[in-house]
Each structure stands twice: as structure tokens, then as C-alpha cells.
Amino acid sequence: MKVLVTYNMFRDGYSELISKYDVTFPAEGKESFTYEEVLEVIHEYDVLQSMYNFPVTAELLDKGVNLKIVSNYAAGFENIDVDYATKKGIVITNTPDPVTEPTADMAMGLMLSVMRRIADCDRRLRTKDLEWGLLNNLGYSLWGKTLGIYGMGRIGQALARRAKAAGMKVVYNNRRPLDPKIESLYDARFVSFEELIKTSDVISLNAPNTPDTYHIINKETIKLMKPTASIINTARGPLIDESALAEALRNREIYGAGLDVFEGGHKVSEELLDLDNVVLTPHTGTQTYDVRNEMAAFASQNIINFFEGGKICRVN
Ligand code: GLV
């Protein structure tokens, strides 16, 4: 079985896959195969193991005449033309399990950093542009505040658990309410999107990038937020109209934002870079030594189990 891995990831998580199949990675020193390179060689492979931002298009799926499975190294899979793959009988899998806890850590970290101004103070201390004093550098406590979680899937729930431990009240909006037994684990209450936006002190986006969630945070919805509220995005950039958010932050219409993902992918809008009330991280929600290997092992297991039998995490 021939497997093409698009990214030069650590090998530890791939050890079982490598021991069983003929696995190709980009050459040493090269970060990733380009789309064009994969297009050229994909006809030779039974399996493509793609990364979250590698486009798996209809064109590529057509060229992959031997492709049986695309194993995506990510929870999200909007980089893949899933409908077309389904039509061609190609199975698509993803890696939600190892992504859950680290992404919730990141949302919690951004929330702390924004509300307690950790990154802002660090930056200004270093540049000597900071006034000490009891009434300077004021932020907001988490304890007693309301966290509104938009998208109460695995990551949303992992964040709710952390928020509850920090003494926050949790409200959420989701396609449908959770089972009351699950809600009671976090003392979480289902509310409409409008109520969530209007009543939350922090809003965390934890929903996938779909036509329904596109620009769910925009000029109008931002206007409904409390002026003291913050917004955290560890999901996908297109959920926020970034220029409307930058304008609201610049005009201090809301308190702050913590963003791990951006509308332009790896390109952060210039308008955000100048603002001190936003914390920016480069899509590092799953960027830990542990999780890199855990995701590789999970993506590998999806492939091995597909051929040898066993549970796979399929999206089509
Ligand atoms: C990361 O962003 C993922 O979708 O796993």
C-alpha cells in the first residue's frame, strides 16, 4: 500500500504506518509538498494523508486514480471537496480526538490573556511603555463572568469544563441543545445566538467553518455585544468579519479579542497588528510536541483500520 504524507511531520506518530506500508514524506529540509507536486504523483498512491490547509480538490481526486482514502490531519476538513470524494467512493477521515483538549487549552489561554491583559503587559514591560500602579493595566476577572460558547461540540465542551473550574457561568448555542445530563456536567444553559451575543462577557467560537457560520461575527452582531465583552476564536478565521472586528476593537466598542485563526489563513490583517486589545497566535491550538505525534498516530490508525478493519473516524 502506498501512502503520501504531504507534510514533513515528526516521524514518531507514524511509526506503525511506516512499519506496515510504503510511506512517502517530503524530502529532508522541505516543509511540505506543493499542490502541483502532489498532482503530479498522486496517481501512484492508494492513500493521501493531507494537512488541514492542503487543498484536496476535485482535480486532485480525479488524478488520484488509485486513491481509496484521504486521511486528514485535522479535526476540520473544509480543505477537502468531500462531496466529490463521496461521489468517487473515496473515504475521508479526520482526527478530532487528539485536537479537543489542546484547542480548549488555547481558548482558555487566550481568554485569560485578553481578560487579564497578560500579552499586552508583557509587551509593554519589555518596551518600557508601561505604568505600574493599582489602577493601571486593569483587566476583568473570569470568576463569575458568563462565557458564551458558540458550537458546543467536543472542543466547546472541553472549554466549558475549564470555564466551570474557573468559576464562570456557561451558556451555549449549538445546532441543537445537548442532552440535559451533558449540560449538567458544566451547568451549561442552551440559549439563542442573540441571547448569547447580548449576555456573554466572553464569546468563544468553537464551530466549524460552513456557509452557516461564515461571518457569524460581523458589524451587526458585534453591535449587540456588551462593551466590556471579548471574543475568542480558535475555530476558523472566516467565522469573523475581521475588518469589522478590527474596527470595533480600534473604537473600543468591545473590550478585546483573542485570535488563533484568521480570515486570510496565515496572513493576519495589518489593522489587527497595531491594536493592543487583541492577542494574536499563529494557529497554534494543537501545536504541542505531544499533540503533533498524537494526531499523526490517529491519522495513521484511520488508514490502518481502513485496510485492516477496526474503527475509523470518517466524515463521509
Ligand atoms: C486544527 O485546526 C484542526 O482542524 O485540527
Side-chain angles (χ1 to χ4, degrees):
M1 217 60 69
K2 290 194 70 176
V3 183
L4 184 69
V5 180
T6 62
Y7 200 89
N8 224 339
M9 183 52 63
F10 303 140
R11 299 297 193 268
D12 295 8
Y14 289 107
S15 55
E16 193 180 347
L17 190 73
I18 292 169
S19 74
K20 285 177 181 272
Y21 304 138
D22 175 1
V23 185
T24 308
F25 290 89
E28 212 185 312
K30 186 177 164 77
E31 188 186 7
S32 168
F33 285 121
T34 64
Y35 175 71
E36 287 71 28
E37 285 166 342
V38 174
L39 216 50
E40 286 253 306
V41 298
I42 194 64
H43 62 276
E44 294 172 24
Y45 290 89
D46 304 285
V47 182
L48 175 66
Q49 201 268 261
S50 48
M51 297 295 158
Y52 77 91
N53 56 356
F54 189 93
V56 182
T57 61
E59 179 191 34
L60 193 138
L61 293 167
D62 275 340
K63 294 257 182 190
V65 288
N66 290 314
L67 269 187
K68 293 153 189 75
I69 169 170
V70 176
S71 165
N72 211 37
Y73 182 109
F77 44 85
E78 75 277 19
N79 57 311
I80 302 177
D81 190 336
V82 176
D83 288 345
Y84 196 68
T86 308
K87 261 191 225 143
K88 293 184 72 85
I90 298 172
V91 168
I92 310 294
T93 59
N94 68 340
T95 61
D97 297 27
V99 163
T100 303
E101 299 296 334
T103 310
D105 280 350
M106 197 66 193
M108 194 70 195
L110 285 172
M111 178 156 73
L112 275 162
S113 189
V114 172
M115 293 180 77
R116 301 304 310 272
R117 302 182 59 168
I118 297 171
D120 179 39
C121 286
D122 175 88
R123 197 166 44 235
R124 288 185 300 106
L125 251 180
R126 289 166 198 270
T127 56
K128 315 229 176 336
D129 172 30
L130 177 134
E131 297 281 338
W132 295 68
L134 297 181
L135 296 178
N136 286 319
N137 309 307
L138 291 166
Y140 286 100
S141 305
L142 272 64
W143 182 266
K145 296 294 188 308
T146 298
L147 168 65
I149 300 179
Y150 176 67
M152 194 65 156
R154 299 173 191 224
I155 298 171
Q157 289 180 46
L159 175 61
R161 180 163 24 90
R162 285 160 174 75
K164 186 182 171 195
M168 300 183 87
K169 299 178 193 113
V170 177
V171 296
Y172 72 97
N173 181 257
N174 203 35
R175 268 170 302 193
R176 57 192 94 79
L178 300 178
D179 184 314
K181 279 202 211 93
I182 298 182
E183 282 184 339
S184 71
L185 296 175
Y186 321 111
D187 299 329
R189 191 165 60 83
F190 180 83
V191 293
S192 67
F193 180 68
E194 190 173 333
E195 184 177 342
L196 179 132
I197 285 282
K198 284 183 171 165
T199 60
S200 299
D201 298 297
V202 190
I203 294 156
S204 175
L205 304 179
N206 298 99
N209 176 15
T210 67
D212 289 342
T213 62
Y214 179 75
H215 280 192
I216 189 86
I217 299 297
N218 55 47
K219 210 176 170 63
E220 282 70 45
T221 50
I222 290 171
K223 283 210 183 336
L224 301 175
M225 288 172 66
K226 294 183 182 179
T228 50
S230 299
I231 183 137
I232 306 299
N233 190 7
T234 53
R236 286 292 186 262
L239 271 69
I240 298 184
D241 177 342
E242 215 164 273
S243 108
L245 176 65
E247 192 183 333
L249 288 168
R250 194 168 38 249
N251 298 335
R252 312 274 159 182
E253 288 164 38
I254 58 171
Y255 179 69
L259 307 176
D260 189 43
V261 285
F262 304 92
E263 262 203 280
H266 290 187
K267 199 172 165 348
V268 181
S269 7
E270 289 292 324
E271 1 174 42
L272 288 175
L273 296 176
D274 291 335
L275 300 171
D276 57 10
N277 50 355
V278 58
V279 178
L280 307 167
T281 50
H283 201 157
T284 47
T286 58
Q287 205 99 318
T288 73
Y289 291 105
D290 325 62
V291 177
R292 282 288 157 262
N293 284 324
E294 285 162 25
M295 289 175 78
F298 200 96
S300 297
Q301 209 57 55
N302 277 333
I303 298 167
I304 295 166
N305 289 356
F306 173 79
F307 289 111
E308 301 187 7
K311 198 171 152 281
I312 62 172
C313 211
R314 56 190 291 175
V315 303
N316 67 345

